[in-house]
Amino acid sequence: MKQFYFLTFILLFSFNNLFAQNNRKIERNDIGWYNYFGTFKLNEKYSIHSEYQLRRDNFITDKQQSLLRLGVNYQLNPKVQFRLGYAWIETYAYGETPINGMGKDFTEHRTFQMVTLIDKISKIDISHRFMLEQRWVGRYSNIDLSSEDEFPLLNRFRYMIRLQLPLKGDKIENKTPYVAAYNELFIGFGKNVNENIFDQNRIGLLFGYRFNNTLRIEAGYLNQTLQLSREVNNQNVYQNNNGFIVNTNFNFDLSKKNK
């Protein structure tokens, strides 16, 4: 099992480096992501997930993306959780080459299905997150339009592995600092995939602190490698975005109030 985790990290990091070291056009942006995550436990099996991410270019001054995500969780057992949900995203015309070919902002609607598997090796908590997304991404058939008139369906698969290590004691509990690292790979598929199946990859290195059962905050370094779905001047365009991320996590146990 340990060999499996090691090989998984090697493959994911190698995949990221493959795209970062080629001769294709690479653009760089300085990003800052400020995130809220809230879980509302209804009973032993069901909970509500809420999430808002404010993503900025030039660390904080310019818009990159706004993301709202809602979902319903089902806890099969302590190590397996399922989630179904919806996300609404606004992507802005940031950077040297905007994601939209006409240089416009665009809206995206998503549905998603997710499963998270939890494991532990010694003091290290390990999670594997698998996600399928159905994405209706807005686009303009004419540059003179002020709003999107087409929403083609794009499919995407995501896999994230995350490791957490407490900096005191044997597990992350109240008043415990910890460090975390994760890598997430995004792969597009289906008839509307344009330039390449590789969509993006994210690497995070975080320092966190769990205050109590309700509040946990973490912050650190974020790298996002993203490929545009079209060529520009006969070149594949990649964004190599580096910056920081701040996550604020709330957990509210409403099941106690219902008893």
Side-chain angles (χ1 to χ4, degrees):
M1 184 63 71
K2 292 181 180 180
Q3 290 85 350
F4 169 77
Y5 294 131
F6 176 76
L7 288 173
T8 300
F9 259 123
I10 293 298
L11 287 171
L12 289 173
F13 278 89
S14 297
F15 195 92
N16 183 66
N17 290 334
L18 172 66
F19 289 95
Q21 295 174 2
N22 58 36
N23 293 321
R24 299 167 186 176
K25 181 176 173 59
I26 306 294
E27 299 179 357
R28 292 173 172 80
N29 298 290
D30 299 317
I31 57 175
W33 290 12
Y34 311 90
N35 305 327
Y36 151 85
F37 302 93
T39 301
F40 300 83
K41 182 179 178 180
L42 304 178
N43 53 46
E44 291 303 315
K45 292 293 185 181
Y46 290 97
S47 60
I48 302 297
H49 172 82
S50 62
E51 174 182 343
Y52 179 71
Q53 300 192 28
L54 180 65
R55 300 172 177 177
R56 308 291 287 184
D57 187 28
N58 292 318
F59 296 123
I60 194 170
T61 58
D62 301 320
K63 295 178 180 179
Q64 183 193 23
Q65 199 172 61
S66 172
L67 182 148
L68 174 67
R69 186 183 282 126
L70 299 172
V72 177
N73 299 325
Y74 176 74
Q75 196 74 40
L76 180 65
N77 58 51
K79 292 188 175 183
V80 181
Q81 183 187 79
F82 295 94
R83 179 179 299 162
L84 298 175
Y86 163 80
W88 170 71
I89 301 96
E90 290 288 337
T91 301
Y92 303 97
Y94 69 94
E96 180 182 346
T97 306
I99 293 177
N100 179 271
M102 297 181 184
K104 294 177 177 287
D105 304 343
F106 62 92
T107 302
E108 177 183 340
H109 300 279
R110 295 179 196 166
T111 54
F112 67 91
Q113 306 81 43
M114 188 180 87
V115 59
T116 302
L117 310 178
I118 304 297
D119 200 359
K120 190 177 182 70
I121 297 179
S122 185
K123 296 182 181 182
I124 301 176
D125 295 318
I126 302 171
S127 67
H128 303 272
R129 190 178 79 177
F130 304 87
M131 184 185 295
L132 283 174
E133 295 178 318
Q134 300 78 46
R135 309 168 60 210
W136 288 268
V137 180
R139 69 183 185 189
Y140 303 79
S141 62
N142 188 309
I143 196 170
D144 295 324
L145 293 174
S146 59
S147 62
E148 307 92 320
D149 60 333
E150 299 175 343
F151 284 85
L153 172 63
L154 302 176
N155 294 286
R156 189 165 66 183
F157 169 76
R158 301 167 57 167
Y159 167 68
M160 181 176 74
I161 182 170
R162 173 174 167 133
L163 281 66
Q164 294 185 159
L165 175 67
L167 295 179
K168 70 173 186 178
D170 295 328
K171 62 181 180 179
I172 299 175
E173 51 191 0
N174 293 345
K175 299 181 180 180
T176 301
Y178 62 91
V179 291
Y182 67 86
N183 195 101
E184 185 171 16
L185 176 65
F186 298 63
I187 296 293
F189 65 95
K191 66 178 183 179
N192 289 322
V193 172
N194 293 327
E195 194 58 34
N196 202 309
I197 63 169
F198 173 76
D199 183 87
Q200 61 178 287
N201 193 83
R202 298 176 188 170
I203 298 171
L205 302 172
L206 307 173
F207 172 80
Y209 189 84
R210 174 171 162 171
F211 292 87
N212 49 45
N213 292 336
T214 302
L215 177 61
R216 178 168 53 89
I217 295 178
E218 53 191 30
Y221 166 77
L222 174 67
N223 169 267
Q224 179 193 35
T225 300
L226 182 149
Q227 182 184 12
L228 271 63
S229 62
R230 69 186 192 281
E231 291 186 0
V232 177
N233 297 324
N234 296 318
Q235 287 183 303
N236 288 306
V237 180
Y238 290 84
Q239 293 182 2
N240 184 19
N241 302 328
N242 292 278
F244 57 86
I245 184 171
V246 179
N247 297 326
T248 303
N249 300 269
F250 294 96
N251 287 282
F252 301 100
D253 191 348
L254 303 182
S255 64
K256 294 180 180 179
K257 297 181 181 181
N258 295 330
K259 293 180 179 179

